[in-house]
Structures are given as structure tokens and as C-alpha cells.
Amino acid sequence: MKTVNEMRLDFRSRPENEALARMVISAFMMPVNPTLEQLGDVKTAVSEAVTNAIVHGYRDRKGLVRMRAWLQEDGELLIEVCDKGCGIENVAQARQPFFTTMEGSERSGMGFTVMESFMDSVDVVSQVDNGTIVRMRKRLTPALCLMRDA
Amino acid sequence: MLNYEKRDGTVYVRLDGELDHRRAGEIRAELDGLIADPSVKRLVFDLNGLEFMDSSGIGMMIGRYKLMKNRGGSVAVMPGGRRVERIMELSGLYEIIEKMA
């Protein structure tokens, strides 16, 4: 599938960058006129993925989070959020609603459930001590006829 | 800054803007000082002014619910907009926390 636009953002694993990631992904989607619903869904899913990278991946240590996004000609948005943090030992378990490794820290364990509910698909690739990649897809419009490559 | 009102043993907290992991930490820090007062028996979250909330907001509210419940108090929520409510419903939080009309 032909990509009509793509972006990459690297940022420090600091909580204030959760808002940065939401703003950037919103701005990236704007040219294809997403509905408020779609915008909200994607912002929320990105917020969850980035918070996971900061809180669980790096466990509040210093590190870089990378967000990449692609808009495809068929109107699909692809987003990748990667960290080089501690990784997830058991991805299937981590994706269960209410599962959390941080009982005392008031994480709800709902992060992946929210991502799965708000996006069309969510894939997680993770390796202990090597980091985690979360890949999400969402169809925004039937086709990006207004945005073909020049 | 937390927007709140304390009246007859109840603390009303009006949440606004974007409630994410960062903001949840700030709210937690401010609110726990406020509800440490033993005369506070009830905590009410008003979600009406929220423009955005992710699951960090759920975690923060569950945490306050546990604190209040442990000392015989209660927590209630005044629902927010459609998007915020979608996360609230998804989390099942209203099964344990009172939803006010």
C-alpha cells in the first residue's frame, strides 16, 4: 500500500511528553479531516501506549520513546510506539484487562484494553531487556483521494 | 491546581482539561492531603469539564475509592462527556463507584 505521509518523533520518557505525543498525532491526522470521534480514539490510544512506554518500559528512568506514523493511500493510519526499556515478559498476560505489574502505583491495568477498543488492531512485540513496540491501525477515511502524492 | 469545594463532610472535585498519567499524579498529591482530614466522609468527582481522559484517570479514581472505603467513606462521580464516559463504562468503574444523575 502506498504511503502518502509519514512522520517520526523521538522524545524523552517524561510525563509531560504524553501531551506532546497526543498533540503531534492529532496534527498529523488533520489533513485528512478525521471525525472528532476518530481523533479522540487515536489520541487516547496513543496516550495509553506512550504512558506504558514511560511508566512500564522505562519505569520512570531516562530513555527515549519513538512514535512513528504513516498515512496510507487507502485511508488507513498506522502508528508505532517504541521504547528500549525493560520489555514485557508475558505479552498475552499484559493485554488482559486489569492486569498490572504495579499494584501499589494505581495503574488501572486498562491500557491495552483501551487501545484495542479504540483502534482497529493492536500488535505488541516485546523482548525482555530490549524494549517494546506497539503497532496500531485505524481506518480514517475510505480513500485519501485529496492527498495523493504530488 | 485542583478546583474543589469542601462542604458538610464532602469534598467536590471539579476535574478539567486533560486527565492523563501526568495530571493524575498531580491530582493524587493534592487530593490525598485534602481527604486526609478525618471529617471528610465523601468524595465527589465532577467529570463534566474534562476534555480528555485516558486509563490513568481510572487508576487515580480507583485509588481514591480504596482510600475512602478503608475509612468508611464513599466516592461518587458526576459523569462527563461522551468520550470520558466511554472509558468509564469500559473500565466497569460504575460497578463499584456511585454514578450521580
Side-chain angles (χ1 to χ4, degrees):
Chain A
M1 185 52 60
K2 208 168 158 193
T3 298
V4 288
N5 196 9
E6 60 184 298
M7 56 87 40
R8 189 177 94 180
L9 175 73
D10 290 349
F11 52 89
R12 182 82 69 81
S13 57
R14 293 179 58 92
E16 56 264 49
N17 288 332
E18 294 151 11
L20 173 75
R22 293 197 297 271
M23 278 186 266
V24 169
I25 200 66
S26 303
F28 183 72
M29 290 164 70
M30 278 309 172
V32 294
N33 296 319
T35 63
L36 282 177
E37 187 82 12
Q38 290 169 333
L39 204 56
D41 286 355
V42 171
K43 272 174 71 176
T44 311
V46 161
S47 198
E48 299 290 352
V50 167
T51 303
N52 272 354
I54 293 172
V55 176
H56 298 284
Y58 291 115
R59 298 189 178 162
D60 298 315
R61 289 192 314 266
K62 194 164 100 179
L64 278 182
V65 180
R66 171 167 293 177
M67 177 172 76
R68 300 174 73 189
W70 298 264
L71 265 171
Q72 292 186 336
E73 201 177 40
D74 64 352
E76 193 166 48
L77 171 71
L78 276 66
I79 302 171
E80 233 182 59
V81 175
C82 322
D83 66 69
K84 292 279 171 201
C86 66
I88 302 167
E89 210 171 289
N90 185 337
V91 171
Q93 188 183 40
R95 293 179 71 146
Q96 289 301 308
F98 306 112
F99 176 81
T100 178
T101 51
M102 295 188 161
E103 279 300 338
S105 76
E106 301 191 353
R107 303 297 307 150
S108 68
M110 290 295 295
F112 281 120
T113 306
V114 170
M115 288 181 241
E116 285 164 7
S117 308
F118 289 9
M119 300 295 280
D120 296 338
S121 76
V122 179
D123 291 301
V124 183
V125 182
S126 191
Q127 204 175 30
V128 172
D129 295 331
N130 245 328
T132 301
I133 304 172
V134 175
R135 290 193 183 99
M136 305 183 279
R137 288 172 177 269
K138 191 174 183 72
R139 180 160 298 282
L140 297 180
T141 59
L144 301 182
C145 43
L146 298 173
M147 253 191 90
R148 289 205 196 284
D149 265 350
Chain B
M1 269 290 286
L2 203 60
N3 188 352
Y4 72 93
E5 194 182 325
K6 208 166 171 177
R7 202 170 56 215
D8 304 327
T10 300
V11 170
Y12 298 88
V13 181
R14 189 174 153 71
L15 299 171
D16 53 15
E18 305 209 313
L19 177 43
D20 60 4
H21 157 246
R22 181 194 190 209
R23 182 74 187 124
E26 294 170 351
I27 292 169
R28 185 159 40 228
E30 232 179 306
L31 198 51
D32 286 359
L34 209 60
I35 60 176
D37 173 355
S39 73
V40 175
K41 300 286 181 220
R42 186 168 166 84
L43 176 61
V44 177
F45 289 108
D46 179 353
L47 310 185
N48 239 306
L50 274 183
E51 286 152 29
F52 174 89
M53 183 178 84
D54 65 17
S55 71
S56 305
I58 301 295
M60 186 276 290
M61 284 186 262
I62 292 176
R64 307 291 76 63
Y65 166 77
K66 286 179 181 163
L67 281 179
M68 291 300 290
K69 194 174 168 245
N70 279 343
R71 35 180 260 222
S74 65
V75 175
V77 169
M78 297 164 79
R82 205 163 54 92
R83 291 217 53 84
V84 168
E85 288 310 299
R86 221 175 128 193
I87 303 246
M88 292 295 286
E89 298 291 348
L90 189 65
S91 73
L93 200 60
Y94 287 134
E95 282 163 37
I96 57 166
I97 291 181
E98 180 193 338
K99 182 180 185 175
M100 294 170 79

